């Protein structure tokens, strides 16, 4: 189980990422879109096995999480475990926003995984959680065909798909 504080992207970016997910699925590469049909394209600011949505809402009350941020997806990356993603170019504005969110979460007693903390976080939009090794190179090439993407953050929510939680912020 994973709960995440997700930033949601504008309509055009969402469409482009979903199109990429479908293209990979059509090539036999499992995408996040086909995992369980609940995901929407996003960038996670924080994640943990479980996060109380009410604690997050309280900690972030009055703070415009992600609103108005512009994100530029300019590269493709891979995490250990065959996770493929579109990388967000880091800006001072994005890092400052991420830090402000985490300061509020910490003050509110919300525990998150260390690799999502300021100084360790890699901003990204997950494309697949399990790309088979023999098709990683073709999957990366397919992702590169969709870049660059300039996106606007239009919303945020605490999502835990295994428990059917989507708490808008």
């Amino acid at each position: 189980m994973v709960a995440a504080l997700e930033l949601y992207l504008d309509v055009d970016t969402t469409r482009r990422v979903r199109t990429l997910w479908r293209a990979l699925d059509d090539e036999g590469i499992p995408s996040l879109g086909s995992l369980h049909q609940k995901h929407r394209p996003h960038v996670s600011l924080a994640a943990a096995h479980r996060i109380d949505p009410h604690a997050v809402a309280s900690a972030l009350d009055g703070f415009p999480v992600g609103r108005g941020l512009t994100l530029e997806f300019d590269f493709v990356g891979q995490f250990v475990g065959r996770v493929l993603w579109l990388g967000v170019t880091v800006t001072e504005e994005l890092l400052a926003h991420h830090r402000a969110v985490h300061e509020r979460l910490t003050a509110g007693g919300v525990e998150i995984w260390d690799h999502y903390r300021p100084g360790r976080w890699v901003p990204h939009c997950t494309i697949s959680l399990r790309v088979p090794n023999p098709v990683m190179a073709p999957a990366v090439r397919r992702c590169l065909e969709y870049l660059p993407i300039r996106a606007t953050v239009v919303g945020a929510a605490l999502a835990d798909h295994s428990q059917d939680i989507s708490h808008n912020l």
Side-chain angles (χ1 to χ4, degrees):
M1 291 183 282
V2 174
L5 173 52
E6 299 178 344
L7 298 179
Y8 297 127
L9 310 169
D10 62 84
V11 172
D12 184 55
T13 300
T14 296
R15 180 189 54 76
R16 288 178 72 182
V17 172
R18 286 187 188 279
T19 300
L20 172 56
W21 285 348
R22 281 191 300 277
L24 291 171
D25 289 330
D26 290 347
E27 294 171 22
I29 301 166
S31 77
L32 196 63
S34 62
L35 183 61
H36 52 57
Q37 307 299 314
K38 296 178 183 179
H39 284 287
R40 64 191 272 195
H42 66 276
V43 172
S44 295
L45 290 179
H49 286 293
R50 288 183 182 223
I51 302 175
D52 179 352
H54 302 293
V56 170
S58 177
L60 297 172
D61 186 40
F63 186 78
V65 180
R67 302 291 191 289
L69 283 175
T70 297
L71 305 177
E72 294 187 19
F73 298 93
D74 291 316
F75 59 98
V76 177
Q78 178 186 2
F79 291 129
V80 172
R82 305 177 305 157
V83 177
L84 182 65
W85 43 269
L86 303 181
V88 178
T89 300
V90 175
T91 63
E92 287 188 34
E93 178 186 27
L94 178 59
L95 293 178
H97 187 81
H98 181 252
R99 184 171 303 284
V101 166
H102 279 267
E103 287 170 354
R104 286 168 173 77
L105 293 176
T106 299
V110 177
E111 298 283 329
I112 59 117
W113 287 330
D114 283 341
H115 56 277
Y116 277 90
R117 295 195 182 281
R120 300 199 62 202
W121 176 59
V122 176
H124 66 280
C125 177
T126 302
I127 298 302
S128 177
L129 294 174
R130 55 184 193 268
V131 177
N133 287 329
V135 295
M136 183 59 77
V140 168
R141 281 193 297 276
R142 176 68 68 208
C143 289
L144 289 170
E145 292 172 0
Y146 286 77
L147 298 179
I149 300 172
R150 185 176 174 95
T152 302
V153 175
V154 296
L158 181 358
D160 184 338
H161 301 298
S162 67
Q163 297 188 45
D164 287 324
I165 294 172
S166 181
H167 188 93
N168 290 328
L169 299 170

